[in-house]
Amino acid sequence: MMDVKLENLIEKIKKEGVEEAQQSAEEIIRKAREEAAAIITHAKAEAEKTRAEAEQRAAQFQKNGELALQQAARDVELLLKENITKLFDRILKKKVADSLSPKFLNELILKIVAQWPENKQANILLNGEDKEKLQKLLFSNLEDELKDSITLKVSNSVSQGFRIGLNGESAYYDFSDESITEALKLFLNPVLKELMDQKDG
C-alpha cells in the first residue's frame, strides 16, 4: 500500500516536472520567436532606411552631376561666344586698317579740307609710314593756298588712319582704325550677339 502511494507521488512529481519543463520550454521558444521577429522587423526597417538613404544619395549625386554638366556647358558656351567676339573684333580691325590705304586717306582728307573754314590751320596726326606716303600724294592734290594750312604730324597714338583738328584746339575728328572699328562694333556686335544667341530649331 505504501509502495503504491510512493509510486503515485513519484509519478506525480515526474508529471509536474515534465509539464513545468514543457511550459518553460514553450515560454523560451515563444520569447525566442518574438525576439527573432523583432530582430527581423528591425533588420527590415534598417535595410529599408539604408536603401532609401542610398537612393537619396544616388539621386542627389545624379542631380549634382547634371548641374555640373549644365554649368560646364554654359561656361563653354560663354567662352566660345567670347572667343568668337574677340576674333570678330580682330578681323574687323584688320579689315578697317587694310582699307585705310594712303590713297583712301588722301581722298578722305581732301574731302574734309574742302569743307574746312577759310584761314584755319589744321593738324593731321598719323603714323610715320603714312606721313611719308601722304606727304607727296596729298600736297600734290591740294591747291597752293591750302597747302600752308595743313600740317602733318607723326603720332604714336595712331596706328592706322588719322586724327584731324584745328590748330590750337584740343578737339580732333578721329578717323583712326581704333575709332572706326569701335564705331562699327556698336552696330555689328549686337547683330553678332543675336546670331550667337539663336537656338537650333
Side-chain angles (χ1 to χ4, degrees):
M1 193 70 177
M2 185 78 169
D3 289 341
V4 174
K5 287 183 179 179
L6 184 61
E7 189 177 327
N8 288 340
L9 181 62
I10 292 170
E11 189 64 33
K12 184 179 178 183
I13 291 170
K14 281 182 182 180
K15 185 178 178 184
E16 288 177 356
V18 168
E19 286 177 356
E20 186 177 337
Q22 194 172 8
Q23 286 176 357
S24 295
E26 288 175 357
E27 181 66 17
I28 290 169
I29 291 169
R30 184 184 62 79
K31 286 183 178 180
R33 284 177 178 166
E34 287 177 356
E35 287 178 7
I39 290 169
I40 291 169
T41 301
H42 180 71
K44 284 182 178 178
E46 285 296 313
E48 180 61 26
K49 182 181 175 184
T50 302
R51 186 191 63 77
E53 288 175 353
E55 286 181 355
Q56 187 177 3
R57 284 196 298 271
Q60 187 62 45
F61 182 78
Q62 183 177 357
K63 183 179 178 181
N64 291 344
E66 288 172 356
L67 289 174
L69 284 174
Q70 289 172 6
Q71 184 62 48
R74 281 194 296 270
D75 291 345
V76 169
E77 184 179 356
L78 289 173
L79 182 62
L80 182 60
K81 287 180 179 180
E82 182 183 344
N83 287 337
I84 289 173
T85 302
K86 286 180 180 177
L87 177 62
F88 174 77
D89 290 348
R90 285 199 303 272
I91 292 171
L92 179 62
K93 185 174 181 181
K94 185 178 185 312
K95 289 294 182 184
V96 169
D98 290 346
S99 69
L100 297 176
S101 65
K103 182 180 177 183
F104 176 77
L105 295 180
N106 178 65
E107 292 172 0
L108 187 55
I109 291 170
L110 289 175
K111 287 179 182 178
I112 294 170
V113 170
Q115 306 298 321
W116 213 255
E118 291 183 13
N119 303 320
K120 292 288 185 179
Q121 294 286 324
N123 291 324
I124 299 177
L125 307 179
L126 30 66
N127 67 46
E129 186 180 342
D130 284 342
K131 179 181 180 292
E132 288 181 16
K133 292 177 181 177
L134 274 175
Q135 191 83 42
K136 292 181 181 178
L137 188 61
L138 179 62
F139 289 123
S140 66
N141 291 301
L142 282 174
E143 297 175 8
D144 291 337
E145 62 268 20
L146 291 175
K147 289 179 182 179
D148 296 332
S149 66
I150 294 177
T151 304
L152 299 180
K153 294 182 178 181
V154 174
S155 172
N156 292 329
S157 64
V158 179
S159 58
Q160 294 289 328
F162 64 91
R163 292 189 179 101
I164 185 169
L166 290 174
N167 192 22
E169 296 186 10
S170 59
Y172 279 85
Y173 295 99
D174 197 338
F175 294 93
S176 65
D177 57 341
E178 289 91 348
S179 179
I180 294 171
T181 300
E182 287 302 315
L184 288 173
K185 280 165 60 177
L186 288 175
F187 295 100
L188 296 176
N189 276 2
V191 176
L192 178 64
K193 183 180 183 306
E194 185 179 343
L195 288 173
M196 289 191 296
D197 288 344
Q198 285 179 355
K199 301 295 182 184
D200 293 337

